[in-house]
Amino acid sequence: MAVKVNKISMQGFRGATAPIEIPLDTTKPVILIFGENGTGKSTIADAFDFVCNCGLGSLEERSLAGQKKGYVAALGGTSNNPKVALSTSNGNFTASMARTGPTVSPERGCPDARILRRSNILKLLNAQPKQRFDELKAFITVPGIEKSENALRDAHRNIKADVGETVRAYTQARAELDKFWAAEGKPGKDPLQWAQAEARKKVAELESVIDSIDTITEHFRDTDTSMRSLELVEEALSNARSAQESAQQAQQKVEAEQPKVDAPLLKLLQDAKSFISGKKPGQCPVCEQQVEPYALSARLDERLSEMSGLSSVVRAVAQATHDVKGKEAVVAQARKSFIEKSSALAKTLKESSLKEIDALKIEWSEFQNLLVPEEYTADHEKKARDFLIAVQSCRQPLEASKQTFQKSINQRNAVKGHLEIHAEKLQAAKELTQLSQKLEKAVEIVSRQRKNYVEEILAAISGEVERLYTALHPGEGIGKVRFYLKDKGIGSLEFFANFLDIPDVPPQAYYSESHLDTLGICVFIALSKYFITEDTIIILDDVVTSVDGPHLDRFMTLLHAEAGNFNQVIVTTHYRPWRDRYRWAKGPTANIQVIELGPWTLKNGLQLGYFMTALEELKAAFTQPVWDRQAVASKAGIVLESMLDFLTLKYRCSVPRNARNEYTLGDLAIGIDAKLSKTLCCRLPSGDSGDKVELVLKPLIDAATSAHWVRNCVGCHLHELGSEISDSDIRGFGQDVISLADTLICESCKVLPSRRPSGSHWQCACGNLELHPLVKQGADPRNVADEF
């Protein structure tokens, strides 16, 4: 079932600063939204894009600071979350702005809106081929295929890069093998053969020898460290003994200077002082005589004070003696460690079978006590030092041998590594090259199929574009537009057309602006028809701006003819001549809903007006509660002028010429001469029989024109006769004009008879109303006015 939109509502969206509902007449195939610049037409088109396509409308084509979705909300609106609601024959849909962009609920069933803006036309016609293709992407690309093609291209590009990397890797590995081979004097047949032999060499024995050398080197290092530590503590012990000797000499000097005192006496007095400290003995503990405790304590203090010099040196001697004993213990421990490290070295060397050790010719019997140490005396230390001196000469040869062996191992490992890389990368390069070739063929196949698909679409629409374009520009020597894709590249669209007798020229260089505009519209309509769905509606957002009157009439005819292919056709325009065509019955008013937009304000947002044809306005003036005689006279005069202008133009009547080609109502009235007025008639269907009834126009024209002065005196100018004309005269004038207009305008399609279906008469859009004759008597039927 075809989906049609019966109402669109906006709140806080773009220009809709106040909530607004726009009802749409689903019985009309075309909806024209008219408004001058700045009244909100693009807001309506953007709202359809927002809810139908989850797009940002015209904002997507503009350069803005920050995220474009931030500008969707109405300026100064009360809602930070814009909403657009669509009421359709398939249910209601509501779109709002989420963090990721527009979202619509429910997600399925919303109409498929195809929107064309003037900017799209300019890009399609004037942009570079890549950007031109982007404008048609929504129609002619298959996203899945294009995504797959891009993925294949990326894969092919990556694989080619991998091939280059693998080739560089195995080439570099081969170069390194060549260097090793050359350094060895180029033995064997070639570098690869030599490298394979090198890689097969066993290195376990060399590694074992290196491990033995490392063990011996470590023992040497430990022994050196322990010997240096021993030497340091022995030096510290020597210094401590010197300090002890100096302290003893100082004590001896003090004792010599004070013969009555010595160290044992000082010790005795100190012990006595300690004994009686805190006690109150009544008698001497030695002689058992009675003593005065306080006097005894004071005497002891006096004696000890006299011996203070001796006391300090005695303490110094005691401290020095304590230091010497501590250092002797440290030396003993360091000596033990040195001897043990030397013993471990000796055992390792004795057990080694290395030629560098055998070359020492060591007499192991001399160092038996070192091999199994039982004591750690100075003699044992000397033996250890003698051993170190005896074996010192093997250290450099051992290191040289280790370097030689390690170099051999390193070379073997390097050769083996480069050989493995060479073999691995060479095989990988072969496999990747095959894969690259397959991917290249796959890309070529997918690209060719995609291009064939697009070319088929372009070829298919080219005929439709030509048909539509010819209808707009008959006999102008332009058209035959041909679109094609460039051979290289995923999406680059070129097109050419004919100009007069010259084929395949770029239209941008020779076509006028209106020709280019209508070409873009024809392409859009053709593509929309090709990809039409049961949900498709098309929206033309102010795309017709530069066409003249005849081309506008053809475009209107074309649009109404093509509207039947779509669920709805919605057009926005600021072009007043287009709107006025329907106002004056020069377009199929019965098949269109015209919505007028009033002035936009920040407070009120979009404003809806009410559209009426000129004839409807005249009829409505009769029904107003307050009779406005001036309005009726003015509107009736304008409608009469429109009817007479139509007839005099159709039949090429003679009217008084003036410099500005402007004709008064009187001029037009006398333009229909007696001969023509006698033959003018309209034929209308009569009931269900299909027979037509003939209505002669002369009485209607005479009745209306006989009182045309009423318009001048009452409806147009300040005239003293205006006040003498009665309301009934004005009503009569208005009713006569309505009768003439109702006869000339088809009741079904609301259009004046302007089509020429045969050589005998004119016809309205639906064919019910006929205007006879085709030309006035004596005129050439080939020389008639086909346009309004």
Side-chain angles (χ1 to χ4, degrees):
M1 182 180 67
V3 179
K4 292 193 175 184
V5 181
N6 55 61
K7 183 175 64 177
I8 183 169
S9 306
M10 294 170 281
Q11 180 177 349
F13 179 84
R14 303 283 284 134
T17 54
I20 185 172
E21 291 184 354
I22 303 176
L24 304 179
D25 189 346
T26 57
T27 65
K28 308 293 186 181
V30 179
I31 297 170
L32 180 71
I33 301 174
F34 169 79
E36 294 186 349
N37 291 331
T39 55
K41 300 183 298 298
S42 292
T43 291
I44 298 173
D46 289 349
F48 275 99
D49 196 20
F50 190 72
V51 67
C52 296
N53 305 324
C54 289
L56 300 181
S58 56
L59 289 176
E60 293 181 348
E61 303 169 5
R62 297 174 183 171
S63 177
L64 299 170
Q67 292 187 336
K68 295 180 179 179
K69 68 178 184 179
Y71 297 93
V72 172
L75 182 65
T78 58
S79 174
N80 291 326
N81 188 10
K83 289 183 173 60
V84 176
L86 215 61
S87 176
T88 75
S89 57
N90 194 33
N92 299 327
F93 302 88
T94 302
S96 58
M97 182 64 72
R99 176 183 295 181
T100 56
T103 59
V104 63
S105 177
E107 296 181 356
R108 297 184 180 276
C110 196
D112 171 26
R114 310 285 175 83
I115 303 173
L116 179 68
R117 299 179 177 87
R118 179 158 175 77
S119 59
N120 303 129
I121 296 177
L122 294 177
K123 289 180 181 178
L124 173 64
L125 300 176
N126 299 328
Q128 295 297 316
K130 180 66 171 65
Q131 286 71 37
R132 182 181 298 129
F133 181 82
D134 290 340
E135 287 303 308
L136 301 185
K137 253 187 172 183
F139 292 103
I140 63 177
T141 61
V142 181
I145 296 297
E146 188 170 321
K147 184 177 180 180
S148 299
E149 182 178 349
N150 287 331
L152 283 172
R153 287 184 184 276
D154 291 342
H156 181 232
R157 189 182 304 110
N158 294 335
I159 291 300
K160 284 187 70 176
D162 291 343
V163 170
E165 288 296 325
T166 53
V167 169
R168 281 192 291 274
Y170 81 70
T171 302
Q172 184 177 357
R174 174 59 186 263
E176 293 298 322
L177 291 176
D178 289 347
K179 290 180 183 179
F180 282 117
W181 184 56
E184 292 295 319
K186 299 184 178 180
K189 182 179 179 181
D190 57 48
L192 291 179
Q193 188 182 58
W194 168 81
Q196 290 168 355
E198 283 289 306
R200 289 193 293 269
K201 287 184 178 179
K202 304 298 182 183
V203 297
E205 183 177 346
L206 294 180
E207 290 174 345
S208 176
V209 171
I210 290 176
D211 289 343
S212 298
I213 293 175
D214 286 342
T215 300
I216 293 172
T217 302
E218 185 65 25
H219 281 304
F220 268 113
R221 191 178 297 111
D222 291 344
T223 304
D224 290 342
T225 301
S226 63
M227 184 171 67
R228 284 194 296 272
S229 298
L230 175 59
E231 290 172 349
L232 290 174
V233 298
E234 284 179 339
E235 181 180 357
L237 175 59
S238 175
N239 294 335
R241 284 174 175 168
S242 297
Q244 180 187 38
E245 184 178 353
S246 297
Q248 289 172 346
Q249 290 175 357
Q251 179 181 340
Q252 292 172 1
K253 181 179 179 182
V254 171
E255 289 177 345
E257 292 174 351
Q258 299 178 11
K260 292 183 179 182
V261 297
D262 55 16
L265 177 59
L266 176 63
K267 179 76 168 57
L268 177 61
L269 292 175
Q270 290 173 337
D271 290 343
K273 175 67 177 176
S274 298
F275 177 75
I276 67 173
S277 178
K279 297 180 181 180
K280 296 180 179 180
Q283 61 182 14
C284 175
V286 179
C287 64
E288 297 182 347
Q289 294 182 8
Q290 291 295 323
V291 296
E292 180 63 35
Y294 296 107
L296 178 59
S297 177
R299 181 57 183 161
L300 286 172
D301 289 339
E302 182 181 350
R303 290 295 307 278
L304 287 172
S305 177
E306 293 172 354
M307 301 175 68
S308 61
L310 179 60
S311 177
S312 63
V313 295
V314 169
R315 283 196 301 272
V317 170
Q319 182 61 45
T321 301
H322 180 269
D323 290 345
V324 168
K325 290 181 178 180
K327 298 257 185 318
E328 287 176 343
V330 173
V331 168
Q333 183 61 37
R335 180 180 291 117
K336 180 180 179 183
S337 176
F338 169 64
I339 294 172
E340 287 176 344
K341 299 295 185 185
S342 300
S343 176
L345 173 62
K347 291 177 181 178
T348 301
L349 294 180
K350 187 173 185 303
E351 294 171 357
S352 174
S353 60
L354 297 176
K355 59 183 179 56
E356 291 82 1
I357 305 302
D358 293 339
L360 295 174
K361 306 297 184 183
I362 299 175
E363 292 294 337
W364 291 105
S365 58
E366 297 181 10
F367 302 104
Q368 186 62 35
N369 292 339
L370 184 60
L371 292 172
V372 187
E374 296 178 354
E375 296 181 283
Y376 302 97
T377 63
D379 291 339
H380 287 80
E381 176 189 340
K382 183 177 181 306
K383 183 62 71 174
R385 290 180 180 275
D386 293 342
F387 177 74
L388 282 178
I389 294 172
V391 300
Q392 198 65 225
S393 61
C394 73
R395 297 182 71 170
Q396 186 172 354
L398 284 173
E399 183 62 28
S401 296
K402 175 186 174 181
Q403 292 180 0
T404 300
F405 295 151
Q406 190 63 56
K407 180 180 178 181
S408 178
I409 292 173
N410 292 343
Q411 176 172 301
R412 179 264 184 188
N413 291 339
V415 168
K416 183 180 180 182
H418 289 309
L419 186 64
E420 291 174 350
I421 291 174
H422 180 271
E424 176 188 348
K425 298 301 181 181
L426 181 60
Q427 181 62 29
K430 293 178 180 178
E431 295 173 356
L432 289 173
T433 299
Q434 294 176 353
L435 179 58
S436 176
Q437 293 171 348
K438 293 179 180 179
L439 284 172
E440 186 176 11
K441 290 181 180 178
V443 170
E444 181 182 350
I445 292 172
V446 173
S447 178
R448 183 171 60 252
Q449 292 298 320
R450 176 189 58 78
K451 288 182 178 180
N452 288 342
Y453 168 77
V454 175
E455 293 281 6
E456 288 175 3
I457 295 174
L458 295 176
I461 70 166
S462 293
E464 180 66 7
V465 171
E466 176 63 17
R467 183 186 70 81
L468 297 173
Y469 203 57
T470 301
L472 289 176
H473 305 283
E476 296 183 22
I478 58 176
K480 297 190 181 300
V481 181
R482 181 174 64 88
F483 292 91
Y484 68 93
L485 291 179
K486 296 181 72 172
D487 291 336
K488 296 183 179 180
I490 291 182
S492 292
L493 182 66
E494 293 283 10
F495 72 105
F496 291 103
N498 285 10
F499 182 71
L500 300 179
D501 295 330
I502 306 173
D504 296 336
V505 299
Q508 308 95 312
Y510 298 97
Y511 284 17
S512 69
E513 183 178 357
S514 64
H515 286 144
L516 292 175
D517 286 349
T518 51
L519 176 57
I521 296 172
C522 290
V523 172
F524 175 78
I525 294 175
L527 284 170
S528 297
K529 286 178 64 176
Y530 188 89
F531 291 98
I532 194 169
T533 68
E534 63 179 9
D535 302 329
T536 299
I537 63 175
I538 65 171
I539 300 171
L540 305 179
D541 185 17
D542 218 359
V543 295
V544 178
T545 59
S546 58
V547 297
D548 56 20
H551 287 94
L552 176 60
D553 294 331
R554 294 187 200 126
F555 178 74
M556 290 170 59
T557 302
L558 177 69
L559 188 64
H560 283 278
E562 296 300 322
N565 296 305
F566 307 99
N567 293 348
Q568 282 173 302
V569 175
I570 300 173
V571 183
T572 71
T573 184
H574 72 278
Y575 196 43
R576 190 172 292 274
W578 191 351
R579 172 256 195 193
D580 286 347
R581 289 294 199 278
Y582 298 107
R583 174 174 167 78
W584 298 109
K586 296 180 180 180
T589 309
N591 295 326
I592 190 168
Q593 177 191 9
V594 179
I595 298 173
E596 289 206 36
L597 298 178
W600 179 92
T601 63
L602 182 61
K603 179 181 178 180
N604 299 321
L606 278 71
Q607 299 296 305
L608 291 183
Y610 184 73
F611 172 81
M612 289 192 295
T613 66
L615 182 58
E616 289 171 342
E617 288 182 3
L618 175 58
K619 292 179 179 179
F622 275 86
T623 63
Q624 295 301 315
V626 179
W627 170 253
D628 188 344
R629 52 190 275 126
Q630 181 183 2
V632 173
S634 175
K635 293 179 183 297
I638 295 175
V639 172
L640 177 58
E641 192 172 338
S642 173
M643 297 299 104
L644 296 178
D645 180 75
F646 167 73
L647 291 172
T648 55
L649 182 62
K650 273 295 176 210
Y651 292 102
R652 297 181 177 270
C653 297
S654 300
V655 293
R657 185 179 179 186
N658 58 66
R660 294 187 298 178
N661 288 326
E662 294 177 353
Y663 310 105
T664 66
L665 187 55
D667 294 335
L668 295 172
I670 64 175
I672 302 175
D673 57 28
K675 289 184 179 180
L676 177 60
S677 62
K678 290 180 182 179
T679 59
L680 278 176
C681 66
C682 287
R683 293 180 181 178
L684 304 170
S686 175
D688 298 331
S689 63
D691 296 335
K692 290 184 180 291
V693 59
E694 183 174 287
L695 297 177
V696 178
L697 293 181
K698 186 178 186 309
L700 299 175
I701 296 173
D702 289 345
T705 57
S706 64
H708 71 270
W709 50 271
V710 172
R711 194 278 301 265
N712 295 334
C713 294
V714 179
C716 294
H717 307 294
L718 178 62
H719 201 288
E720 60 182 12
L721 293 178
S723 59
E724 298 180 5
I725 299 174
S726 66
D727 286 349
S728 61
D729 289 337
I730 297 173
R731 284 192 178 93
F733 172 59
Q735 291 292 354
D736 289 339
V737 171
I738 291 174
S739 298
L740 175 61
D742 280 342
T743 304
L744 283 173
I745 299 174
C746 176
E747 184 179 0
S748 299
C749 63
K750 308 297 183 185
V751 182
L752 290 165
S754 299
R755 291 196 308 123
R756 186 176 57 172
S758 68
S760 63
H761 62 273
W762 299 97
Q763 195 177 68
C764 68
C766 66
N768 286 340
L769 176 64
E770 296 177 1
L771 175 63
H772 292 259
L774 180 67
V775 295
K776 63 182 180 179
Q777 188 176 2
D780 186 353
R782 294 173 298 178
N783 188 20
V784 295
D786 287 325
E787 309 298 340
F788 290 116

